[in-house]
Amino acid sequence: MTDLSRVGSFTYHGTWNIRVVQKISDWPQRIIIEGAVNLVIDAVLGVSRKISGDTWRLRIEHNAGGLWRPNTLFVPGPLVTRRGVKKQTIFSKDRYWPGDATPNDLVVELRPAGTGMTVFRWRAVKKDLTPCKDGLRGPEPRYLAVDLRNTGHRPFDYDTLLNITTAGRNALADHGVHILDTWSDQDRRRVRQEVHGGAVSVPPIPTGEHATAHFLIDASSSRAGQPEVEFELLNAEDLSDYGPSGHRASLPVEVGDAAPTIASISERHGLGVSTGRLTAAPADPTWVSPEVISPSGQARIGRLS
């Protein structure tokens, strides 16, 4: 969150729970939310709302004599942890009176409620970072590219890393796709990222924005399936504001067979439906066995032209 008290509001990012924890003023009070979310909250004691948006502002007003006016003073407290819960308290004063300058007319508590990130898209890419036409299968893919979005309430800084967890690596390995942790200088230059152990660096990401991270892979022995791959953020300063699930996200990844099927070959040559599967490349790549059924229903064995 950002203190913009000079203009009478505070700026927030992501998802927060808001609750009125104290109201001693006789004047009605209201909380104004503006930006990605626009909402007016009648600030009575105990009222609570969940606000979720990329960027939004909070301000407080009071009604004196039928006219809504900005409260005179806002005092935002720091984001602190109490019994394992992160929260921030805003104290406000609607109007100064002789002998009464304490900002306690309306007290509002905010708790971060969003997750730190989501991983929402993946693709297999070649050395030149163009997508692999056949997806994640066989020796062609060089990297697994994933897009992650900052869904938290703070930007990701330069120290943020993305890793595939042990569970995620095992899920891919079960389908013959292996994450490689030893990178060449050329590989790092291609994707413009650093590697720290098994984790890769991501660029600074403002809240609500997204970026791409690349993992070096070997899919030469891939086997068809759809493993659920788990990712985790590391080293980001704002991770302390989330529970364990707040900096982890999963994404299903479609893996194909490294060995071509008769169906794919017959489709490519207009031969119809296949009845078999190649498990290894034949010495003569134009020879197909076992049988391929032609569109006329006749079995054909031999060379493809």
Side-chain angles (χ1 to χ4, degrees):
M1 64 277 181
T2 303
D3 182 353
L4 297 179
S5 56
R6 64 183 182 277
V7 294
S9 66
F10 303 96
T11 298
Y12 292 84
H13 306 283
T15 303
W16 293 71
N17 287 321
I18 298 176
R19 185 166 67 96
V20 176
V21 296
Q22 179 173 298
K23 180 184 181 296
I24 65 172
S25 175
D26 292 331
W27 285 329
Q29 310 273 320
R30 68 181 184 180
I31 302 168
I32 310 295
I33 307 296
E34 299 170 311
V37 179
N38 292 282
L39 182 67
V40 177
I41 303 171
D42 185 14
V44 297
L45 183 63
V47 71
S48 62
R49 294 287 188 276
K50 177 178 283 188
I51 309 298
S52 184
D54 290 345
T55 301
W56 47 276
R57 297 176 301 279
L58 181 152
R59 57 188 176 89
I60 299 175
E61 297 180 341
H62 65 281
N63 191 319
L67 182 64
W68 287 100
R69 299 180 174 87
N71 280 17
T72 300
L73 179 66
F74 299 82
V75 181
L79 188 65
V80 298
T81 302
R82 295 285 186 270
R83 297 180 179 178
V85 176
K86 290 278 184 180
K87 63 181 180 179
Q88 183 203 23
T89 304
I90 294 179
F91 303 88
S92 70
K93 186 71 179 170
D94 48 27
R95 183 180 295 183
Y96 290 113
W97 300 97
D100 181 13
T102 303
N104 59 0
D105 290 329
L106 189 73
V107 181
V108 178
E109 181 183 276
L110 294 98
R111 298 185 181 188
T115 58
M117 65 133 181
T118 58
V119 178
F120 62 95
R121 185 167 52 209
W122 70 272
R123 57 203 170 275
V125 298
K126 298 180 283 189
K127 288 183 178 180
D128 61 2
L129 304 186
T130 59
C132 296
K133 182 179 179 180
D134 292 332
L136 183 53
R137 71 168 72 218
E140 184 181 47
R142 182 65 174 176
Y143 307 100
L144 176 64
V146 296
D147 295 330
L148 68 153
R149 177 174 283 115
N150 181 352
T151 55
H153 57 274
R154 293 182 181 177
F156 293 163
D157 294 325
Y158 284 97
D159 64 342
T160 306
L161 303 174
L162 184 69
N163 191 27
I164 298 178
T165 65
T166 300
R169 289 166 181 256
N170 289 341
L172 284 170
D174 287 343
H175 294 275
V177 179
H178 301 279
I179 303 298
L180 306 179
D181 294 332
T182 301
W183 291 55
S184 68
D185 291 339
Q186 186 178 27
D187 279 316
R188 286 195 296 268
R189 285 194 297 269
R190 284 194 192 108
V191 298
R192 298 181 180 180
Q193 64 187 28
E194 296 299 321
V195 181
H196 303 271
V200 300
S201 63
V202 297
I205 309 176
T207 185
E209 299 297 321
H210 68 272
T212 301
H214 294 83
F215 292 90
L216 192 64
I217 60 173
D218 176 5
S220 58
S221 300
S222 63
R223 298 182 295 278
Q226 193 177 61
E228 189 79 12
V229 182
E230 184 182 53
F231 301 84
E232 64 179 343
L233 285 176
L234 301 174
N235 291 359
E237 178 184 352
D238 64 330
L239 293 186
S240 60
D241 295 347
Y242 306 103
S245 63
H247 53 89
R248 292 194 176 190
S250 296
L251 185 70
V253 173
E254 187 74 31
V255 179
D257 279 315
T261 63
I262 295 297
S264 65
I265 296 175
S266 62
E267 180 182 359
R268 199 157 50 235
H269 290 270
L271 298 177
V273 181
S274 71
T275 61
R277 176 175 179 267
L278 290 177
T279 57
D284 182 346
T286 65
W287 183 266
V288 177
S289 178
E291 66 181 76
V292 175
I293 305 301
S294 70
S296 64
Q298 297 297 315
R300 295 176 56 181
I301 300 179
R303 296 181 182 276
L304 298 176
S305 57

